[in-house]
Amino acid sequence: MSRLIHTFAALAVFGLAVGCSSASDVDEASVAGARSKGPAGDMTFWVDPASPAAEQIQLWEREGRTQDAALLRRIAEEPAALWPAGEIDPGPVVRAATSAARQEGRTALFVAYDIPHRDCGQHSAGGAADADAYRAWIGKFAEALGSAKALVVLEPDAVAHTVDGCTPGEYQDEREQLLSGRSSG
C-alpha cells in the first residue's frame, strides 16, 4: 500500500478513536456550546432553505400537521451537506449554494462523490465512467467553488474501500492519482 493510503488510514483510525472516546470534563453546556461552532471550528455552516426537509415542512403546515412540521423543523434547521450529482455538471448547484452561503456570512458544505468504481457495486455504485470523466467533473466542481468559503468532503469512502480491499487492485493506483490530483503516467 502506498504512503498516502497508510496516512489516510492512520488519520481515519485516529479520528475514530478521538471522536468515540469520552472525556470526563464534558458536560451538556460545553457540548451545546461546541455545536454552535460547527465541526470545523468557528465555521457556521449554511442551511439550505429549499432542502427536501424544508419543503416537507411547508407541505405539512398546509395540511395542518403542525406538530409533525415542528419536529421536522428541528432537523431542517441543522446544516447538511449538498451532494451534487455526478451525472451532471456540478457547477450550478455549487455556485448557487456558495452564493447563498456568502450572502448569509456562512460556509457552504459539500460532498464530492463521483470517483469511478465507487461504493464497490453497492447502493451508491457507479461514479464517473473513467478517470478522464472524473477529472472533468471534479474540475467543474472546483471551478464553481472558486474562492468561495466552503468545506468539501472529498470522496468519503474512496480511501476506506481501497484499504479494505473492496476496490479491485487494478483501480487502486488510478484512485490514488485521482484523490491526489496527479495525472497518470
Side-chain angles (χ1 to χ4, degrees), residues 44-49 79-80 82 93-110 145 148-151:
T44 303
F45 294 110
W46 174 70
V47 176
D48 183 359
L82 295 178
V93 170
V94 171
R95 280 189 290 278
T98 54
S99 175
R102 183 176 22 259
Q103 290 174 358
E104 294 180 22
R106 295 178 176 244
T107 302
L109 181 59
F110 299 99
L145 281 173
K149 189 174 176 185
L151 189 143

Side-chain angles (χ1 to χ4, degrees), residues 25-181:
D25 61 341
V26 175
D27 60 9
E28 189 174 327
S30 65
V31 171
R35 185 181 308 140
S36 67
K37 289 184 179 180
D42 290 333
M43 287 186 195
T44 303
F45 294 110
W46 174 70
V47 176
D48 183 359
S51 71
E55 291 175 1
Q56 186 66 47
I57 290 167
Q58 292 174 356
L59 174 65
W60 282 348
E61 286 175 338
R62 285 193 304 270
E63 293 174 348
R65 295 176 59 184
T66 55
Q67 279 187 310
D68 292 333
L71 288 171
L72 186 55
R73 183 170 285 108
R74 294 174 61 192
I75 296 170
E77 290 175 348
E78 293 297 321
L82 295 178
W83 296 55
E87 304 81 41
I88 60 172
D89 179 357
V93 170
V94 171
R95 280 189 290 278
T98 54
S99 175
R102 183 176 22 259
Q103 290 174 358
E104 294 180 22
R106 295 178 176 244
T107 302
L109 181 59
F110 299 99
V111 176
Y113 192 56
D114 194 36
I115 201 155
H117 320 290
R118 71 174 182 220
D119 199 34
C120 302
Q122 296 180 31
H123 300 292
S124 297
D130 57 31
D132 289 336
Y134 180 76
R135 285 185 190 98
W137 183 84
I138 201 71
K140 290 176 184 176
F141 195 114
E143 183 180 313
L145 281 173
S147 62
K149 189 174 176 185
L151 189 143
V152 179
V153 177
L154 179 64
E155 304 298 340
D157 60 7
V159 172
H161 284 321
T162 300
V163 174
D164 71 9
C166 185
T167 301
E170 66 264 24
Y171 300 123
Q172 290 186 7
D173 286 342
E174 174 188 80
R175 180 163 287 190
E176 289 178 31
Q177 290 170 1
L178 293 174
L179 290 172
S180 71

